Amino acid sequence: MSMTISPYPNALGAEITGVRLSSSCDEDIIAAIKSALHEHLVLVIRDQNLDPGEQVAFSERFGELVVRVSGEFLHPDYPPVLILSNRIVDGKAEGATDAYAGSHWHSDLTYAEKPSFGSMLHAIEVAEEGGDTAWANMYAAYDALPGDIKNRIDGLNAIHIRDRRRNPRAGISENFDRDVNEYYDIKVPDSVHPMVRRHPITGLKSLYVSPRFTVAIEGVDDAEGQPLLDELFEHQKKPEFIFQHKWRRGDLVFWDNSATIHLAVGGIKPPGVRRLHRTSMAGEVPYG
Ligand code: SIN
């Protein structure tokens, strides 16, 4: 079996075939995947079959895993695995639906001081229609900004928060079926990150804000800061920066959170069920 990497004709993304992922993959396979990730930012690795324990062990080859602060939707035996599922069991979704994860463009865990450097989603069940995930390239979004906006945001920091009750752009979905206050009362300190981030490996600059987590610009009053954020949020989701993935069962998608944002596109047509397992690797404190 030999591994083939085929770039997509989009602003980001590549498909990998001919490899069987496992915790015991050779070091040269791991190195090739890391290098492809830095080049293409999103890797769609087809035809995998990792049980939750194997997904954890494989993900750990790329770094320490992060366990989400809320205990909801975590795999009971493997807490680093977040279950995303719209299947209703006893009147409630068995996993995080897009009311909890993915409904607004974001990069994973930027509300933390050390956001995740990369995440993996493994498709266990897929719906016939709907349920795509989209990624956008934030190197390209930064590069395409007008010079005056680049000058304005270079050196500025933005505030990132987890609590949807304090973020009117994200808000609470009508499909939120847990106790909202219990879910968001978990105290997570707000984080402050550069709006233009230098990638820890490539050194390239990316636009590092998102409507899900970024709520204000440090030291800039809202009268000036909010319209600027609105402009950046519109800009970063332009079609030319996006790759949209239609899931096949067995796909494992690995992406770089430092230089991309992503979105659960939604639209799963009942009775379709989509179940994905997510693992996220810890990253570093972002710098500009
Ligand atoms: C996520 O934001 O990690 C989930 C994306 C999705 O459900 O498509």
Side-chain angles (χ1 to χ4, degrees), residues 191-286:
S191 281
V192 173
H193 298 306
M195 296 179 73
V196 179
R197 179 177 185 179
R198 260 192 202 282
H199 194 284
I201 306 292
T202 66
L204 298 172
K205 287 179 169 183
S206 67
L207 179 59
Y208 198 61
V209 293
S210 74
R212 168 63 187 91
F213 294 125
T214 313
V215 291
I217 302 176
E218 190 181 51
V220 176
D221 65 32
D222 277 348
E224 191 190 331
Q226 294 303 329
L228 176 55
L229 285 177
D230 283 333
E231 193 176 336
L232 295 172
F233 297 152
E234 276 307 307
H235 171 80
Q236 68 183 169
K237 61 176 186 184
K238 286 185 179 156
E240 60 266 35
F241 308 138
I242 292 176
F243 153 64
Q244 183 162 327
H245 180 59
K246 175 152 187 59
W247 290 96
R248 279 196 224 153
R249 189 166 176 274
D251 287 346
L252 183 133
V253 177
F254 183 14
W255 69 93
D256 180 328
N257 277 310
S258 315
T260 64
I261 53 172
H262 59 283
L263 174 77
V265 176
I268 298 173
K269 193 166 165 201
V273 167
R274 183 185 79 145
R275 181 177 169 123
L276 308 177
H277 288 169
R278 193 180 91 186
T279 40
S280 292
M281 279 76 58
E284 303 172 11
V285 174

Side-chain angles (χ1 to χ4, degrees), residues 14 44 55 68 108 167 207 210 246:
V44 176
Q55 183 173 342
R68 296 228 312 180
D108 287 333
N167 181 355
L207 179 59
S210 74
K246 175 152 187 59

Side-chain angles (χ1 to χ4, degrees), residues 1-4 16-20 29 45-48:
M1 204 190 273
S2 82
M3 185 165 106
T4 306
I16 299 188
T17 51
V19 64
R20 173 68 60 210
I29 296 283
I45 310 173
R46 299 287 195 189
D47 304 319
Q48 303 305 313

